[in-house]
Amino acid sequence: MVGNSKRVEHYGGTETTTNITIFSSEAEYLDAMSQPPPPPPEVHKVCLPPSRTTFQKLVQRLSEIFFPDAPLDRFKNQTWFRKLVLGLQFFFPIFVWAPNYNLKLLQSDVVSGLTIASLAIPQGISYAKLANLPPIVGLYSSFVPPLIYSVLGSSRHLAVGPVSIASLVMGTMLSEEVSYTDQPILYLQLAFTATFFAGVFQAALGLLRLGFVIDFLSKATLVGFMAGAAIIVSLQQLKGLLGIVHFTTKMQIVPVLTSVFERTDEWSWQTIAMGASFLLILLTARKVSMRNKKLFWVSAAAPLTSVILSTLIVFLLKSKLPMVKTIGHLPKGLNPPSSNMLYFHGSYLGLAMKTGIVTGILSLTEGIAVGRTFASLRNYQVDGNQEMMAIGFMNMAGSCSSCYVTTGSFSRSAVNYNAGAQTVVSNVIMSTTVLITLLFLMPLFHYTPNVILGAIIITAVIGLIDYEAALKLWKVDKLDFITCLCSFFGVLFISVPLGLAIAVGVSVFKILLHVTRPNTAALGNIPGTHIYQSLRRYREALRVPSFLIVAVEAPIYFANSTYLQERMLRWIREEQEWISANNESTLKCVILDMTAVTAIDTSGVDTICEVGKMLQKQSLQFVLANPAGNVMEKLHNSNVLDSFGVNGMYLSVSEAVDDISSTWKSQP
Amino acid sequence: MVGNSKRVEHYGGTETTTNITIFSSEAEYLDAMSQPPPPPPEVHKVCLPPSRTTFQKLVQRLSEIFFPDAPLDRFKNQTWFRKLVLGLQFFFPIFVWAPNYNLKLLQSDVVSGLTIASLAIPQGISYAKLANLPPIVGLYSSFVPPLIYSVLGSSRHLAVGPVSIASLVMGTMLSEEVSYTDQPILYLQLAFTATFFAGVFQAALGLLRLGFVIDFLSKATLVGFMAGAAIIVSLQQLKGLLGIVHFTTKMQIVPVLTSVFERTDEWSWQTIAMGASFLLILLTARKVSMRNKKLFWVSAAAPLTSVILSTLIVFLLKSKLPMVKTIGHLPKGLNPPSSNMLYFHGSYLGLAMKTGIVTGILSLTEGIAVGRTFASLRNYQVDGNQEMMAIGFMNMAGSCSSCYVTTGSFSRSAVNYNAGAQTVVSNVIMSTTVLITLLFLMPLFHYTPNVILGAIIITAVIGLIDYEAALKLWKVDKLDFITCLCSFFGVLFISVPLGLAIAVGVSVFKILLHVTRPNTAALGNIPGTHIYQSLRRYREALRVPSFLIVAVEAPIYFANSTYLQERMLRWIREEQEWISANNESTLKCVILDMTAVTAIDTSGVDTICEVGKMLQKQSLQFVLANPAGNVMEKLHNSNVLDSFGVNGMYLSVSEAVDDISSTWKSQP
């Protein structure tokens, strides 16, 4: 408390002077004595954070980056056996719920499991076609991955299987370089390899605890991306719905619409009529379920019902409906192993890796977002890194058993939740149902028309167009809305991965823009308090005469140090102009409120130094208020503190103002 | 002040209750009366910033981005004529100083102009060779650009001409694709075209007021880059210094050193002896000038003296020194026009543009940094955007008059400053000297040995290796030091532009890392004050019973919203564990100190909402303290405020604690 003691000395000096003053009258003397100098305002020293070695700082920093949830905390002070159990539970969440599993839970899980199976079978076939894969691969993918997830996953409501976005992206990216009609085996190999890489990438993110990578897909980006993808997916279904044979292989809106209207001669009215009527049925069912959450089973049962109905119609009228294309022969039997089809060499390896990483990120984002949504509804936690590992291992296993990329599907998970699922056993039930289908019911799909798959897909993806969320973005944050538009139009007109990249770029640019041009404000005192607030925002705040208090609302970095230096000098210039225009008392002290300066780098330190020097030349006092711990540390390390001295730092603006003005008063 | 009035009503209610209590004795009654309920703590309402339309916000935002220095302010309230004069002065700073120019200033400028000319002539020739251009181009570039700068530039001490870094980068980038020995005309065309694009790019940055782009080259990046480039440049000089004929065209350290030691048979001892002795002289002169700033003329005069001396030696001993290579014939005469050599089509256009942009950015960074350094020494302002336009126009004009990229050189500007330059007239004097050299003295350079040019370059660039700055980076900011190392090794081992790109990437990553994993802290009260500070940092700070006060030290963005949500919940969990371990009073209220939350986006708003909901489920009160203006606006727009109500927002942590605890006390 050097500053404080120095000031006390000063007051002592003043008192001595008073004693030797000769007063003209006793009354005057008494008067002077009855007004003792005001007590020195209490000043608290700004202290450095507890000193730590570079290694300690590094450890703390790394643990904040990689272990923000402190996963090892729960192992503290536990017995050896308990630690083993906790460890097992950590890696296999099945051990958390399995011991308490009972018949009542099973009952709920059977009902929900059967419900999602009725949705998973038609959707599996449809999404496989979206990825340009044989329909049977969609069913395979609804069998193995859910079983693996039920052992490793920590969400209780996630319904695992193929999803529309990842299917679309895989289909787009692979078919840009390899034709699925000319080279079906290579295409299939690449799809499995991409799935393998997606799994490796996902598991690696989880193992290396780099889960924050997916945070860079902001909500705004996803709203735009999903809407764009939904439109792209729906447009692709025009092929099936209109019965067009020669359709473009491109995905963007312009070539697809051109292709649709150039091929009007291929439109088949039977197909259109069938597609339109089933689409109508499905959309109505969706509407009914949305209106009344209890009727969720209407939209859940509609796809399978439509498949059965349309298959019956085609089977009965097959001679009269030659134009309506059907799925055709599907092989009976379980998933064949596909590890021999993984492709680790040759010219398409890069394509497979790229596709794997993009679909991997997208499916992770969807799976984790869905898991978190339902976890927060039921008030339990889903660990992001653990989910990544579960989804990753599930895809790695999937790629060796003829499955393509799978994750938690939003629509099916919602149905699962509404149907009363209690644990991941509902996924096991679904798997079993798919198993029975694969073993015995495959021939029944022979006459299922392709058009119905298109209708099912459109109904599933239409919910991804969330215009209400986009409106909210516009209302709350215009820049977020622009990000959303970029990703929407990027996906529609350029390409799916590029649209995504543009949106991520815009999001990052937004952060950098905020860092480059941070807010600064002149503060005033709110009368009767120790609070200093922006003069512009609080009408009741008052300027403190002879002081200029500037708050910088961002870390001071290389990216904004030049700007902040200029801006601070402009604040001072404007204040001086204002003072001379209004004949106020001259400016004597500039206080920099550093409360919101949460970090600083070497350029920032130089800026503080530079501003200090410039103000010194103008004979202005320059003090800092409330520098944060790490900022203080860096100021200290760079010896800037030497030029400020202990008196140049205050714990709050209020103490700075009180102390400095009392120093002025005691210096006549 | 709804919150306040509500609380006053509440107190009124308590008082009524007191009145009807039956007291056992009069003394007890009086006792109760003498302790009136404490006055309600004063609570200030958190207000929204003054409401503005989206358009107004956009205008304000854009003006902060592009016009942070408010360049139009000076035109306010001026007469029509004065406005014209100010406008002319703005675009042509020559009008600022020319009217007051006098003989005394001219005297200083002539001395400093002649001094820098003696440095500019040998350096010009040397740097042109560094860029693989004919030596004469270096002299041309020291003639036209300084004249243009003297009309447009706002720095008084900048010595304009070719510089080492930009020369090196241009040489590297162009010779990677075009050989300067096989296609000298194409190479020259590309160099002029790159200069033209550099000028266009620089002027465009200035005109569009995008000067902050160069701020992304942080000091840390530049320290590493300069040191790496200095080593690369010095290694290139081994060709001349050792007299090697067959030298690699690559720039990286490994191939250059390999090439040097593979060609030991080409080493020429006469060349080595001459080079070593002159290098020693030049380095000694440099050392002398560095020890004593007044002897600056020693290092300023040394290069020209060495050139004259070595030329004489070679001329006199030419029969005995056949191995020493000389510059050879140089054409007499002024800069020939080169606008017909600009190359705006064909396959190398991309290369020329890329080279132009990279050299343009680098030379801008150097020029502006140098200008600012000397301006701050003499306490005048250099306008970054205006400098960009000046340097840009100078390079555009240069590209049409056989000049390559020029900017303000650090070494020559320092000499200029020390020699007493007062205005840009010293550049005009230098130009004139170069003009005389070009017209009459060119044949004198015929016998100047190449080895002396190498020695001059090494002496000039050795000062760029600033190990003290690197040490300071290590001391102050470890991450800055890593950035510096990345750019250093990137330049040495990969390539100059890629090394730069890596360093910029690392800098941006540093910003993103800080945003992704911001600091959070639990606060406590510093006794006897209204100040709340980190419990970890301030030992004297005390926990407030039943409260948990968490400060978030960053904007809440999509990139950190998940992390912050988990981290806040962990703070609460840890607090509850601590409480139960220490038998403290139970946690009732969580205060989120948002002072340092300077911005928020839609994901951040959702996080606040989500945390609020979770705490509600745990029956914990959740309030926000001191949300910034734009944060408040977004919370308001997204209707989050409805769930908090007016009572959930406080202007400071201190008011929140006082008010909430008084509410508890009055609710028995």
Coordinates of all heavy atoms in Angstrom, one line a residue, chain A residues 378-445:
Chain A
R378 N -35.1 -33.1 -20.4 CA -35.2 -34.0 -19.3 C -34.2 -33.8 -18.2 O -34.1 -34.6 -17.3 CB -35.1 -35.5 -19.8 CG -36.3 -36.0 -20.5 CD -37.4 -36.2 -19.5 NE -38.7 -36.5 -20.2 CZ -39.1 -37.8 -20.5 NH1 -38.3 -38.8 -20.1 NH2 -40.2 -38.0 -21.1
N379 N -33.4 -32.7 -18.3 CA -32.5 -32.2 -17.3 C -31.4 -33.2 -17.0 O -31.1 -33.5 -15.8 CB -33.3 -31.9 -16.0 CG -32.7 -30.8 -15.2 OD1 -31.8 -30.1 -15.7 ND2 -33.0 -30.6 -14.0
Y380 N -30.8 -33.8 -18.0 CA -29.6 -34.6 -17.8 C -28.5 -34.0 -18.7 O -28.8 -33.3 -19.6 CB -29.8 -36.1 -17.9 CG -30.2 -36.6 -19.3 CD1 -29.3 -37.0 -20.3 CD2 -31.5 -36.7 -19.6 CE1 -29.6 -37.4 -21.5 CE2 -31.9 -37.2 -20.9 CZ -31.0 -37.6 -21.8 OH -31.3 -38.0 -23.1
Q381 N -27.3 -34.4 -18.5 CA -26.2 -33.9 -19.3 C -25.7 -34.8 -20.3 O -25.7 -36.0 -20.1 CB -25.0 -33.6 -18.3 CG -25.2 -32.4 -17.4 CD -24.9 -31.1 -18.1 OE1 -24.0 -31.0 -18.9 NE2 -25.8 -30.2 -17.8
V382 N -25.4 -34.3 -21.5 CA -24.8 -35.1 -22.6 C -23.4 -34.5 -22.8 O -23.2 -33.3 -23.0 CB -25.6 -35.0 -23.9 CG1 -24.8 -35.5 -25.0 CG2 -26.9 -35.8 -23.8
D383 N -22.4 -35.4 -22.6 CA -21.0 -34.9 -22.7 C -20.6 -34.9 -24.2 O -20.6 -35.9 -24.8 CB -20.1 -35.9 -21.9 CG -18.6 -35.5 -22.0 OD1 -18.3 -34.8 -22.9 OD2 -17.9 -36.0 -21.2
G384 N -20.3 -33.7 -24.7 CA -20.0 -33.6 -26.1 C -18.9 -34.5 -26.6 O -19.0 -35.2 -27.6
N385 N -17.7 -34.5 -25.8 CA -16.6 -35.3 -26.3 C -16.9 -36.8 -26.3 O -16.5 -37.5 -27.2 CB -15.4 -35.0 -25.4 CG -14.8 -33.6 -25.7 OD1 -14.5 -33.2 -26.8 ND2 -14.7 -32.8 -24.6
Q386 N -17.7 -37.2 -25.3 CA -18.0 -38.6 -25.2 C -19.0 -39.0 -26.4 O -18.8 -40.1 -27.0 CB -18.7 -38.8 -23.9 CG -18.6 -40.2 -23.4 CD -19.2 -40.3 -22.0 OE1 -19.1 -39.3 -21.2 NE2 -19.7 -41.4 -21.6
E387 N -19.9 -38.1 -26.7 CA -20.8 -38.4 -27.8 C -20.0 -38.5 -29.1 O -20.3 -39.3 -30.0 CB -21.8 -37.2 -27.9 CG -23.0 -37.3 -27.0 CD -23.8 -38.5 -27.3 OE1 -24.6 -38.5 -28.2 OE2 -23.7 -39.5 -26.5
M388 N -19.0 -37.6 -29.2 CA -18.2 -37.7 -30.5 C -17.5 -39.0 -30.6 O -17.5 -39.6 -31.7 CB -17.1 -36.6 -30.4 CG -17.7 -35.3 -30.6 SD -16.5 -34.0 -30.7 CE -17.5 -32.6 -30.6
M389 N -17.0 -39.5 -29.5 CA -16.4 -40.9 -29.5 C -17.4 -41.9 -29.9 O -17.2 -42.8 -30.7 CB -15.7 -41.2 -28.2 CG -14.4 -40.4 -28.0 SD -13.4 -41.1 -26.7 CE -14.1 -40.1 -25.3
A390 N -18.6 -41.9 -29.2 CA -19.6 -42.9 -29.5 C -20.0 -42.8 -31.0 O -20.0 -43.9 -31.7 CB -20.8 -42.6 -28.6
I391 N -20.3 -41.6 -31.5 CA -20.7 -41.5 -32.9 C -19.5 -42.0 -33.8 O -19.7 -42.6 -34.8 CB -21.2 -40.1 -33.2 CG1 -22.4 -39.8 -32.4 CG2 -21.4 -39.9 -34.7 CD1 -23.0 -38.4 -32.5
G392 N -18.3 -41.6 -33.4 CA -17.1 -42.0 -34.2 C -17.0 -43.5 -34.3 O -16.8 -44.0 -35.4
F393 N -17.0 -44.1 -33.2 CA -16.8 -45.6 -33.2 C -17.9 -46.3 -33.9 O -17.7 -47.3 -34.6 CB -16.7 -46.1 -31.8 CG -15.3 -45.8 -31.2 CD1 -15.2 -45.1 -30.0 CD2 -14.2 -46.3 -31.8 CE1 -14.0 -44.8 -29.5 CE2 -12.9 -46.0 -31.2 CZ -12.8 -45.2 -30.1
M394 N -19.1 -45.8 -33.8 CA -20.3 -46.3 -34.5 C -20.1 -46.2 -36.0 O -20.4 -47.2 -36.7 CB -21.5 -45.5 -34.0 CG -22.7 -45.5 -34.7 SD -23.9 -44.4 -33.8 CE -24.1 -43.1 -35.0
N395 N -19.5 -45.1 -36.5 CA -19.3 -45.0 -37.9 C -18.2 -45.9 -38.4 O -18.2 -46.4 -39.5 CB -19.1 -43.6 -38.3 CG -20.4 -42.8 -38.5 OD1 -21.4 -43.4 -39.0 ND2 -20.5 -41.6 -38.0
M396 N -17.1 -46.0 -37.5 CA -16.0 -46.9 -37.9 C -16.5 -48.3 -38.0 O -16.2 -49.0 -39.0 CB -14.9 -46.7 -36.9 CG -14.0 -45.5 -37.1 SD -13.2 -45.0 -35.6 CE -11.9 -46.2 -35.6
A397 N -17.3 -48.7 -37.0 CA -17.8 -50.1 -37.1 C -18.8 -50.2 -38.3 O -18.8 -51.2 -39.0 CB -18.6 -50.4 -35.8
G398 N -19.6 -49.2 -38.5 CA -20.5 -49.2 -39.6 C -19.8 -49.4 -41.0 O -20.3 -50.1 -41.8
S399 N -18.7 -48.7 -41.1 CA -18.0 -48.7 -42.4 C -17.5 -50.1 -42.7 O -17.3 -50.5 -43.9 CB -16.8 -47.7 -42.5 OG -15.8 -48.2 -41.6
C400 N -17.4 -51.0 -41.7 CA -16.9 -52.4 -41.9 C -18.1 -53.3 -42.1 O -17.9 -54.5 -42.2 CB -16.0 -52.8 -40.8 SG -14.6 -51.8 -40.6
S401 N -19.3 -52.8 -41.9 CA -20.5 -53.7 -42.0 C -21.5 -53.1 -43.0 O -22.7 -53.1 -42.7 CB -21.0 -54.0 -40.7 OG -21.3 -52.7 -40.0
S402 N -21.0 -52.6 -44.1 CA -21.9 -52.1 -45.2 C -22.8 -51.0 -44.8 O -24.0 -50.9 -45.3 CB -22.7 -53.2 -45.8 OG -21.8 -54.2 -46.3
C403 N -22.4 -50.1 -43.8 CA -23.2 -49.0 -43.4 C -22.6 -47.7 -43.9 O -21.3 -47.6 -44.0 CB -23.4 -48.9 -41.9 SG -24.0 -50.3 -41.1
Y404 N -23.4 -46.7 -44.2 CA -22.8 -45.4 -44.5 C -23.0 -44.5 -43.3 O -23.5 -44.9 -42.2 CB -23.2 -44.8 -45.8 CG -24.6 -44.2 -45.9 CD1 -24.8 -42.9 -46.0 CD2 -25.7 -45.0 -45.8 CE1 -26.0 -42.3 -46.1 CE2 -27.0 -44.5 -45.9 CZ -27.1 -43.1 -46.0 OH -28.3 -42.5 -46.0
V405 N -22.6 -43.2 -43.4 CA -22.6 -42.3 -42.3 C -23.9 -42.2 -41.6 O -25.0 -42.0 -42.2 CB -22.2 -40.9 -42.7 CG1 -22.3 -39.9 -41.6 CG2 -20.8 -40.9 -43.2
T406 N -23.9 -42.4 -40.2 CA -25.1 -42.3 -39.4 C -24.9 -41.4 -38.3 O -23.8 -41.1 -37.9 CB -25.5 -43.7 -38.9 OG1 -24.4 -44.2 -38.2 CG2 -26.0 -44.6 -39.9
T407 N -26.0 -40.9 -37.7 CA -25.9 -40.0 -36.5 C -27.3 -40.0 -35.9 O -28.2 -40.8 -36.3 CB -25.4 -38.6 -36.9 OG1 -25.2 -37.9 -35.7 CG2 -26.4 -37.9 -37.8
G408 N -27.5 -39.2 -34.9 CA -28.8 -39.0 -34.3 C -29.7 -38.2 -35.2 O -29.3 -37.1 -35.5
S409 N -30.8 -38.7 -35.6 CA -31.7 -37.9 -36.5 C -32.7 -37.1 -35.7 O -33.2 -37.5 -34.7 CB -32.5 -38.9 -37.4 OG -33.8 -38.5 -37.5
F410 N -32.9 -35.8 -36.1 CA -33.7 -35.0 -35.3 C -35.2 -35.4 -35.3 O -35.8 -35.6 -34.3 CB -33.7 -33.5 -35.8 CG -34.4 -32.6 -34.9 CD1 -33.8 -32.2 -33.7 CD2 -35.7 -32.2 -35.1 CE1 -34.5 -31.3 -32.8 CE2 -36.4 -31.4 -34.2 CZ -35.8 -31.0 -33.0
S411 N -35.7 -35.7 -36.5 CA -37.1 -36.1 -36.6 C -37.4 -37.4 -35.9 O -38.4 -37.5 -35.1 CB -37.6 -36.2 -38.1 OG -36.7 -37.1 -38.7
R412 N -36.6 -38.4 -36.1 CA -36.8 -39.7 -35.4 C -36.6 -39.6 -33.9 O -37.3 -40.2 -33.1 CB -36.0 -40.8 -36.0 CG -36.4 -41.1 -37.4 CD -35.9 -42.4 -37.9 NE -34.4 -42.5 -37.9 CZ -33.6 -42.0 -38.9 NH1 -34.2 -41.4 -39.9 NH2 -32.3 -42.1 -38.8
S413 N -35.6 -38.7 -33.5 CA -35.4 -38.6 -32.0 C -36.6 -37.9 -31.4 O -37.0 -38.2 -30.2 CB -34.2 -37.8 -31.7 OG -33.0 -38.4 -32.3
A414 N -37.2 -37.0 -32.1 CA -38.4 -36.3 -31.5 C -39.5 -37.3 -31.4 O -40.2 -37.3 -30.3 CB -38.8 -35.2 -32.5
V415 N -39.7 -38.2 -32.4 CA -40.8 -39.2 -32.3 C -40.4 -40.1 -31.1 O -41.3 -40.4 -30.3 CB -40.9 -40.0 -33.6 CG1 -41.7 -41.2 -33.4 CG2 -41.4 -39.1 -34.7
N416 N -39.2 -40.5 -31.0 CA -38.7 -41.4 -29.9 C -39.1 -40.8 -28.6 O -39.6 -41.4 -27.7 CB -37.2 -41.5 -30.1 CG -36.6 -42.7 -29.3 OD1 -37.4 -43.7 -29.1 ND2 -35.4 -42.7 -29.0
Y417 N -38.8 -39.5 -28.4 CA -39.0 -38.8 -27.2 C -40.5 -38.7 -26.9 O -40.9 -39.0 -25.8 CB -38.4 -37.4 -27.3 CG -38.7 -36.5 -26.1 CD1 -37.8 -36.5 -25.0 CD2 -39.7 -35.6 -26.0 CE1 -38.0 -35.7 -23.9 CE2 -40.0 -34.8 -24.9 CZ -39.1 -34.9 -23.9 OH -39.3 -34.1 -22.8
N418 N -41.3 -38.4 -27.9 CA -42.7 -38.3 -27.7 C -43.4 -39.6 -27.4 O -44.4 -39.7 -26.7 CB -43.4 -37.6 -28.9 CG -43.1 -36.1 -28.9 OD1 -43.1 -35.4 -27.9 ND2 -42.8 -35.6 -30.1
A419 N -42.8 -40.7 -28.0 CA -43.4 -42.0 -27.8 C -43.0 -42.6 -26.4 O -43.3 -43.7 -26.1 CB -42.9 -42.9 -28.9
G420 N -42.2 -41.8 -25.7 CA -41.9 -42.2 -24.3 C -40.7 -43.0 -24.1 O -40.6 -43.7 -23.1
A421 N -39.7 -42.9 -25.0 CA -38.4 -43.6 -24.8 C -37.8 -43.2 -23.5 O -37.8 -42.1 -23.1 CB -37.5 -43.3 -26.0
Q422 N -37.2 -44.2 -22.8 CA -36.6 -43.9 -21.5 C -35.1 -44.1 -21.6 O -34.3 -43.4 -20.9 CB -37.2 -44.9 -20.4 CG -38.6 -44.7 -20.2 CD -39.0 -43.4 -19.6 OE1 -38.2 -42.8 -18.8 NE2 -40.2 -42.8 -19.9
T423 N -34.6 -45.1 -22.4 CA -33.2 -45.3 -22.5 C -32.9 -45.7 -24.0 O -33.8 -45.7 -24.8 CB -32.8 -46.6 -21.6 OG1 -33.4 -47.7 -22.2 CG2 -33.2 -46.4 -20.2
V424 N -31.6 -45.9 -24.2 CA -31.2 -46.3 -25.6 C -31.7 -47.7 -26.0 O -31.5 -48.1 -27.1 CB -29.7 -46.3 -25.8 CG1 -29.2 -44.9 -26.1 CG2 -29.0 -46.8 -24.5
V425 N -32.4 -48.4 -25.1 CA -32.9 -49.7 -25.4 C -33.9 -49.5 -26.6 O -34.1 -50.5 -27.4 CB -33.6 -50.4 -24.2 CG1 -34.4 -51.6 -24.6 CG2 -32.5 -50.7 -23.2
S426 N -34.6 -48.4 -26.7 CA -35.5 -48.2 -27.9 C -34.7 -48.3 -29.2 O -35.3 -48.8 -30.2 CB -36.2 -46.8 -27.8 OG -35.2 -45.8 -27.9
N427 N -33.4 -47.9 -29.2 CA -32.6 -48.1 -30.4 C -32.4 -49.6 -30.6 O -32.4 -50.1 -31.8 CB -31.2 -47.5 -30.2 CG -31.2 -46.0 -30.7 OD1 -31.7 -45.7 -31.8 ND2 -30.8 -45.1 -29.8
V428 N -32.2 -50.4 -29.6 CA -32.0 -51.9 -29.7 C -33.3 -52.5 -30.3 O -33.2 -53.3 -31.2 CB -31.7 -52.5 -28.4 CG1 -31.5 -54.0 -28.5 CG2 -30.4 -51.8 -27.8
I429 N -34.4 -52.0 -29.8 CA -35.7 -52.6 -30.3 C -35.8 -52.2 -31.8 O -36.2 -53.1 -32.7 CB -36.9 -51.9 -29.6 CG1 -36.8 -52.2 -28.1 CG2 -38.2 -52.4 -30.1 CD1 -36.9 -53.6 -27.6
M430 N -35.5 -51.0 -32.2 CA -35.5 -50.6 -33.6 C -34.6 -51.4 -34.4 O -35.0 -52.0 -35.5 CB -35.1 -49.1 -33.7 CG -35.2 -48.6 -35.1 SD -34.4 -47.0 -35.3 CE -32.7 -47.5 -35.4
S431 N -33.4 -51.6 -33.9 CA -32.5 -52.5 -34.6 C -33.0 -53.9 -34.9 O -32.9 -54.4 -36.0 CB -31.2 -52.6 -33.7 OG -30.1 -52.0 -34.3
T432 N -33.6 -54.4 -33.8 CA -34.2 -55.8 -33.9 C -35.3 -55.8 -35.0 O -35.3 -56.7 -35.8 CB -34.8 -56.2 -32.6 OG1 -33.9 -55.8 -31.6 CG2 -35.0 -57.7 -32.5
T433 N -36.1 -54.8 -35.0 CA -37.2 -54.7 -36.0 C -36.6 -54.7 -37.4 O -37.0 -55.3 -38.4 CB -38.0 -53.5 -35.8 OG1 -38.3 -53.3 -34.4 CG2 -39.4 -53.6 -36.5
V434 N -35.5 -53.8 -37.6 CA -34.8 -53.7 -38.9 C -34.2 -55.1 -39.2 O -34.3 -55.5 -40.4 CB -33.7 -52.6 -38.9 CG1 -32.9 -52.6 -40.1 CG2 -34.4 -51.3 -38.6
L435 N -33.7 -55.8 -38.2 CA -33.1 -57.1 -38.4 C -34.2 -58.1 -39.0 O -33.9 -58.8 -40.0 CB -32.6 -57.7 -37.1 CG -32.2 -59.1 -37.0 CD1 -30.9 -59.3 -37.8 CD2 -32.0 -59.6 -35.6
I436 N -35.3 -58.1 -38.4 CA -36.4 -59.0 -38.9 C -36.8 -58.6 -40.3 O -36.9 -59.4 -41.2 CB -37.6 -58.8 -38.0 CG1 -37.3 -59.4 -36.6 CG2 -38.8 -59.6 -38.6 CD1 -38.2 -59.1 -35.5
T437 N -36.9 -57.3 -40.6 CA -37.2 -56.8 -42.0 C -36.1 -57.3 -42.9 O -36.4 -57.8 -44.0 CB -37.2 -55.3 -42.0 OG1 -37.9 -54.8 -40.9 CG2 -37.7 -54.7 -43.3
L438 N -34.8 -57.2 -42.6 CA -33.8 -57.6 -43.5 C -33.8 -59.1 -43.7 O -33.6 -59.5 -44.8 CB -32.4 -57.2 -42.8 CG -32.0 -55.8 -42.9 CD1 -30.7 -55.5 -42.1 CD2 -31.7 -55.4 -44.4
L439 N -34.1 -59.8 -42.7 CA -34.1 -61.3 -42.8 C -35.3 -61.8 -43.6 O -35.2 -62.7 -44.4 CB -34.0 -62.0 -41.5 CG -32.7 -61.8 -40.7 CD1 -32.8 -62.6 -39.4 CD2 -31.6 -62.4 -41.6
F440 N -36.5 -61.2 -43.4 CA -37.7 -61.8 -43.9 C -38.5 -61.0 -44.9 O -39.3 -61.5 -45.7 CB -38.6 -62.3 -42.8 CG -37.9 -63.2 -41.8 CD1 -37.6 -62.7 -40.5 CD2 -37.4 -64.5 -42.1 CE1 -36.9 -63.5 -39.6 CE2 -36.7 -65.2 -41.2 CZ -36.5 -64.8 -39.9
L441 N -38.5 -59.7 -44.7 CA -39.5 -58.9 -45.4 C -39.0 -58.1 -46.6 O -39.8 -57.4 -47.2 CB -40.1 -57.8 -44.4 CG -40.6 -58.4 -43.0 CD1 -41.1 -57.3 -42.1 CD2 -41.7 -59.4 -43.2
M442 N -37.8 -58.4 -47.0 CA -37.2 -57.6 -48.1 C -38.0 -57.7 -49.4 O -38.2 -56.7 -50.1 CB -35.8 -57.9 -48.4 CG -34.8 -57.5 -47.3 SD -35.2 -55.9 -46.6 CE -34.7 -54.8 -47.9
P443 N -38.5 -58.9 -49.8 CA -39.2 -59.1 -51.1 C -40.5 -58.2 -51.1 O -40.9 -57.8 -52.2 CB -39.6 -60.5 -51.1 CG -38.7 -61.2 -50.2 CD -38.4 -60.2 -49.1
L444 N -41.0 -57.8 -50.0 CA -42.2 -57.0 -50.0 C -42.0 -55.6 -50.6 O -42.9 -55.0 -51.0 CB -42.8 -56.8 -48.5 CG -43.2 -58.1 -47.8 CD1 -43.7 -57.8 -46.4 CD2 -44.2 -58.9 -48.7
F445 N -40.7 -55.2 -50.5 CA -40.4 -53.8 -51.1 C -40.2 -53.8 -52.6 O -40.0 -52.8 -53.2 CB -39.2 -53.2 -50.4 CG -39.4 -52.9 -48.9 CD1 -38.8 -53.7 -48.0 CD2 -40.1 -51.8 -48.6 CE1 -39.0 -53.4 -46.6 CE2 -40.3 -51.5 -47.2 CZ -39.7 -52.3 -46.3

